[in-house]
């Protein structure tokens, strides 16, 4: 009986140990699976993150490429209408390469030209001092006294100045080829002497004649205003407005080359040029693509139609070429008319 009892106890203990071992083994398996899952999850996150970064990088590259292509297209457009001229505008005949301006650009050009005041008067100033000033100018023309060249700060006699510039003086300025004008050219209320494109002022405090401006062949049309209309095959109309110091403060230019066997009909107009930066009109990039840049003067020219050219030149023709010439005839003197009375003394 005792042996059977001990045998039952051993069987029970063996079953308990076996059950415990199975439970421990099952727990170890569960823990191992959890650890494996925790190690796999970061790998999946990293993989997803890399896919997102790759997608963003490709998207950024595409955007950058599109922007680069857009810039190239803009540059290409600008180059296609980028006409730069090293010489003068009237030597430029490649009409087929110059586009006509669009309506918006011409509207801006027209508005700018409407602000140009072509009309001018030969102002007289103080008539009581004319005699004193005229006698000084007579001595200057007779080469008896020098004048001050403001550009160099030197005093020079008029004959020497002409000779240094390669000019020939006809009969001591007595020739009828010379036209004299005595009026208030610079607007200071005092008379100036204008002859052969030279404008001389007189400073009573210094007791000296001064070269106020040299217009280099330009025609004086009134106080502080001049024009240039050369007798060429082309139509060139240039207008200048001077400041009180004789420097250009405004300039305009029209140029028309009429059609022939070798050249196309072309009409160009310069955008009004103001020395005062505050008065200058802004030339937009769109306007530049339609224009021609003249490097020698730094000015922009634009091609317009015959009708547009006539519209812009009409005030110039009516005010300057018609009225100004009539006024110039009234103001013009010969040497004898202006200084003849002193020759008999």
């Amino acid at each position: 009986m005792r042996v059977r009892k001990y045998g039952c106890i051993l069987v029970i203990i063996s079953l308990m140990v076996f059950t415990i071992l199975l439970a421990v083994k099952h727990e170890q398996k569960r823990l191992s699976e959890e650890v494996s899952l925790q190690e796999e999850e970061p790998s999946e996150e990293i993989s997803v993150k890399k896919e997102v970064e790759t997608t963003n990088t490709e998207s950024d590259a595409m955007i950058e490429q599109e922007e680069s292509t857009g810039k190239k297209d803009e540059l290409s457009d600008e180059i296609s209408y980028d006409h730069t001229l090293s010489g003068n505008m009237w030597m430029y005949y490649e009409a087929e390469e110059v586009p006509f301006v669009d309506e918006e650009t011409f509207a801006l050009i027209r508005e700018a030209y409407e602000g140009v005041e072509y009309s001018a008067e030969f102002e007289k100033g103080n008539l009581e001092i004319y005699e004193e000033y005229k006698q000084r100018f007579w001595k200057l023309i007779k080469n008896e006294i020098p004048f001050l060249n403001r550009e160099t700060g030197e005093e020079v006699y008029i004959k020497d100045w002409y000779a240094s510039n390669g000019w020939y003086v006809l009969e001591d300025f007595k020739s009828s080829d010379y036209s004299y004008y005595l009026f208030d050219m610079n607007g200071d209320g005092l008379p100036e002497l204008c002859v052969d494109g030279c404008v001389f002022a007189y400073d009573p405090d210094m007791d000296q004649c001064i070269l106020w401006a040299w217009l280099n062949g330009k025609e004086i049309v009134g106080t502080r205003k001049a024009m240039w209309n050369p007798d060429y095959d082309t139509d060139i109309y240039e207008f200048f407005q001077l400041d009180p110091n004789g420097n250009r403060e405004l300039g305009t230019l029209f140029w028309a080359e009429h059609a022939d066997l070798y050249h196309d009909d072309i009409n160009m107009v310069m955008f009004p040029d103001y020395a005062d930066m505050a008065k200058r009109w802004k030339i937009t990039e769109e306007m530049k693509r339609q224009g021609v840049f003249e490097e020698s003067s730094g000015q922009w020219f634009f091609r317009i139609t015959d009708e547009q050219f006539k519209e812009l030149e009409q005030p110039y023709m009516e005010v300057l070429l018609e009225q100004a010439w009539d006024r110039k005839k009234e103001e013009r003197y010969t040497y004898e008319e202006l200084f003849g009375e002193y020759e008999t003394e």
Side-chain angles (χ1 to χ4, degrees):
M1 291 292 294
R2 183 175 292 178
V3 172
R4 183 180 295 176
K5 181 178 180 181
Y6 287 133
C8 291
I9 294 173
L10 289 173
V11 170
I12 293 171
I13 293 173
S14 299
L15 290 173
M16 291 177 62
V17 170
F18 181 75
T19 302
I20 292 173
L21 289 174
L22 287 176
V24 170
K25 186 175 181 180
H26 177 73
E27 183 66 20
Q28 288 179 342
K29 182 179 179 180
R30 186 183 67 80
L31 292 175
S32 177
E33 290 176 351
E34 288 182 357
V35 171
S36 177
L37 289 174
Q38 290 178 358
E39 291 176 351
E40 290 176 0
E41 286 178 0
S43 299
E44 291 176 357
E45 291 177 1
I46 293 173
S47 177
V48 172
K49 185 176 181 181
K50 286 184 178 180
E51 290 179 2
V52 172
E53 290 178 350
T54 301
T55 302
N56 291 339
T57 301
E58 293 176 352
S59 178
D60 291 341
M62 291 177 62
I63 293 174
E64 184 177 352
Q65 183 177 6
E66 290 175 357
E67 290 178 349
S68 177
T69 303
K71 290 180 180 179
K72 288 181 180 179
D73 290 342
E74 291 177 1
L75 183 60
S76 177
D77 290 342
E78 186 172 346
I79 292 176
S80 65
Y81 291 104
D82 183 14
H83 304 286
T84 300
L85 180 66
S86 58
N88 292 323
M89 187 67 248
W90 47 88
M91 300 300 292
Y92 191 72
Y93 297 122
E94 299 175 20
E96 68 280 359
E97 297 183 6
V98 184
F100 287 97
V101 299
D102 57 28
E103 290 297 328
E104 182 179 354
T105 295
F106 179 71
L108 292 174
I109 296 173
R110 178 172 52 202
E111 185 177 354
Y113 268 86
E114 288 174 350
V116 177
E117 183 57 60
Y118 290 117
S119 63
E121 299 292 337
F122 286 82
E123 300 176 6
K124 295 300 181 182
N126 187 0
L127 296 175
E128 296 180 358
I129 61 174
Y130 266 59
E131 184 62 29
E132 175 188 355
Y133 279 58
K134 190 167 71 169
Q135 289 187 16
R136 282 294 175 182
F137 292 139
W138 176 63
K139 291 183 178 181
L140 171 70
I141 296 300
K142 291 280 290 182
N143 213 51
E144 295 180 3
I145 59 174
F147 67 86
L148 175 65
N149 187 340
R150 293 187 302 172
E151 291 187 358
T152 63
E154 299 177 347
E155 291 185 347
V156 58
Y157 287 88
I158 193 168
K159 281 190 175 181
D160 295 336
W161 189 63
Y162 263 65
S164 65
N165 286 279
W167 303 326
Y168 178 68
V169 180
L170 300 172
E171 301 178 15
D172 296 328
F173 290 100
K174 294 182 181 181
S175 170
S176 60
D177 292 333
Y178 290 107
S179 297
Y180 292 86
Y181 301 90
L182 187 66
F183 70 104
D184 182 12
M185 174 61 180
N186 61 13
D188 64 353
L190 306 174
E192 282 76 41
L193 177 69
C194 307
V195 55
D196 198 32
C198 300
V199 182
F200 295 100
Y202 172 65
D203 187 335
D205 295 331
M206 299 173 58
D207 189 23
Q208 188 169 43
C209 292
I210 301 170
L211 180 62
W212 181 75
W214 176 49
L215 301 179
N216 192 18
K218 309 298 188 299
E219 294 284 344
I220 294 170
V221 293
T223 298
R224 289 171 47 189
K225 296 187 178 181
M227 58 171 281
W228 185 52
N229 182 214
D231 187 17
Y232 293 165
D233 293 335
T234 57
D235 293 331
I236 302 176
Y237 312 117
E238 192 167 10
F239 170 74
F240 302 91
Q241 184 170 301
L242 307 176
D243 66 16
N245 296 317
N247 302 313
R248 191 176 76 165
E249 65 178 7
L250 170 64
T252 68
L253 181 106
F254 303 91
W255 171 69
E257 172 67 27
H258 301 292
D260 57 27
L261 295 176
Y262 307 101
H263 308 126
D264 294 329
D265 190 10
I266 182 170
N267 302 298
M268 304 294 292
V269 61
M270 185 184 83
F271 206 82
D273 174 46
Y274 289 88
D276 186 351
M277 298 298 293
K279 295 182 179 180
R280 286 191 175 185
W281 289 62
K282 178 177 175 58
I283 307 295
T284 66
E285 290 301 318
E286 178 60 28
M287 294 175 67
K288 290 179 180 179
R289 282 192 285 268
Q290 301 175 51
V292 177
F293 181 68
E294 186 183 66
E295 288 183 331
S296 59
S297 64
Q299 304 303 324
W300 281 95
F301 287 81
F302 300 92
R303 187 180 185 186
I304 56 180
T305 65
D306 291 341
E307 292 74 16
Q308 292 170 340
F309 188 87
K310 291 177 181 177
E311 179 182 351
L312 292 182
E313 74 169 352
Q314 183 177 356
Y316 180 99
M317 300 290 289
E318 293 179 351
V319 176
L320 288 181
L321 292 187
E322 295 179 12
Q323 299 179 18
W325 284 114
D326 292 337
R327 290 196 299 268
K328 282 173 63 69
K329 292 178 182 178
E330 298 175 359
E331 298 294 333
R332 180 185 181 277
Y333 294 94
T334 64
Y335 178 89
E336 291 297 328
E337 290 172 340
L338 190 59
F339 301 120
E341 59 181 306
Y342 305 133
E343 292 289 337
T344 59
E345 295 180 0

